[in-house]
């Protein structure tokens, strides 16, 4: 059985050797790259979806390597040296994968994209969800927001500039950190998002 380090090294080598022929999913411009926009699209297939790889991690349960990319999720299968890639057409959220984690065969991911607003293009959270079949189907939740009726703290009531950049699975919860959205957890007990403010759990 290959070690996680060996699997990760193999995946990294594959990324380096294959990216020269891949379609750029994060759109180049004079100021660098931006998230996949609302009007952009890519066709998934048996290839790495993008040469913009945001996150790479081994799945210890399946021995596959998960890659969060500018075009969606790509999964490297070392047993047969193939890619399987999944985007919005499989139920994944809109845009680029901005955070990724896996545990016991379940993949959790967050997405982000560039939205058109009255003040110009801004990053937007595409939501958070999970797949129990390596990406073929997804249960997807909108980007966590607060009700505008909340008065005990300043609520985050939009997905604009509310982008999840990190995600961690534990035995009872999924934790996310989001720009503008703060620290939140999804409880398996009630299948709901909860804001975690300082000095609370």
């Amino acid at each position: 059985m290959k070690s996680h380090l060996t699997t990760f090294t193999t995946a990294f080598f594959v990324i380096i050797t294959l990216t020269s022929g891949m379609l750029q999913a994060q759109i180049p411009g004079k100021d660098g790259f931006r998230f996949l926009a609302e009007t952009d699209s890519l066709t998934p297939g048996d290839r790495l979806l993008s040469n913009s790889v945001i996150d790479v991690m081994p799945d210890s349960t399946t021995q596959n390597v998960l890659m969060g990319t500018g075009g969606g999720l790509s999964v490297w299968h070392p047993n047969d040296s193939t890619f399987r890639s999944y985007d919005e057409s499989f139920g994944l959220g809109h845009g680029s994968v901005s955070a990724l984690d896996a545990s016991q065969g379940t993949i959790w991911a967050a997405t982000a994209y560039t939205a058109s607003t009255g003040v110009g293009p801004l990053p937007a959270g595409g939501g958070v969800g999970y797949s129990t079949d390596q990406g073929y189907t997804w249960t997807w939740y909108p980007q966590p927001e607060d009700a505008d009726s909340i008065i005990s703290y300043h609520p985050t009531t939009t997905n604009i500039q509310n982008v999840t950049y990190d995600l961690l699975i534990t035995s009872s919860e999924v934790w996310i950190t989001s720009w503008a959205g703060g620290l939140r957890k999804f409880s398996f007990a009630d299948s709901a998002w909860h804001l975690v403010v300082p000095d609370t759990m």
Side-chain angles (χ1 to χ4, degrees):
M1 180 179 294
K2 294 182 179 179
S3 68
H4 294 166
L5 180 59
T6 300
T7 303
F8 181 86
T9 303
T10 301
F12 183 76
F13 175 76
V14 169
I15 293 170
I16 295 300
T17 56
L18 293 183
T19 52
S20 60
M22 297 299 167
L23 187 64
Q24 297 227 14
Q26 285 192 328
I27 311 302
K30 65 179 181 180
D31 298 319
F33 290 87
R34 64 176 172 80
F35 284 120
L36 196 70
E38 294 167 300
T39 56
D40 300 322
S41 64
L42 287 175
T43 302
D46 298 338
R47 59 179 176 83
L48 185 63
L49 273 180
S50 168
N51 63 358
S52 295
V53 178
I54 300 160
D55 206 351
V56 179
M57 65 170 301
D59 185 335
S60 60
T61 302
T62 63
Q63 304 304 311
N64 296 331
V65 179
L66 310 175
M67 303 179 193
T69 82
L73 176 71
S74 291
V75 182
W76 170 251
H77 298 260
N79 291 337
D80 58 5
S81 299
T82 60
F83 278 108
R84 297 290 184 271
S85 292
Y86 312 97
D87 66 358
E88 198 172 355
S89 65
F90 289 86
L92 189 71
H94 179 62
S96 308
V97 173
S98 57
L100 184 65
D101 197 10
S103 178
Q104 298 182 0
T106 298
I107 303 169
W108 278 80
T111 62
Y113 60 94
T114 298
S116 298
T117 74
V119 296
L122 290 173
V128 185
Y130 67 90
S131 173
T132 58
D133 54 12
Q134 287 298 292
Y136 285 100
T137 59
W138 291 83
T139 298
W140 202 257
Y141 302 96
Q143 187 68 22
E145 301 171 11
D146 301 312
D148 56 12
S149 59
I150 291 175
I151 59 174
S152 57
Y153 60 87
H154 185 70
T156 301
T157 60
T158 176
N159 71 325
I160 303 299
Q161 295 187 318
N162 177 10
V163 177
T164 298
Y165 285 112
D166 206 358
L167 187 155
L168 176 69
I169 305 170
T170 71
S171 60
S172 58
E173 296 145 341
V174 173
W175 293 76
I176 62 171
T177 54
S178 307
W179 183 28
L183 178 65
R184 297 173 191 263
K185 63 181 179 180
F186 180 87
S187 171
F188 296 147
D190 61 5
S191 298
W193 291 103
H194 304 273
L195 179 67
V196 181
V197 296
D199 302 321
T200 69
M201 291 297 289

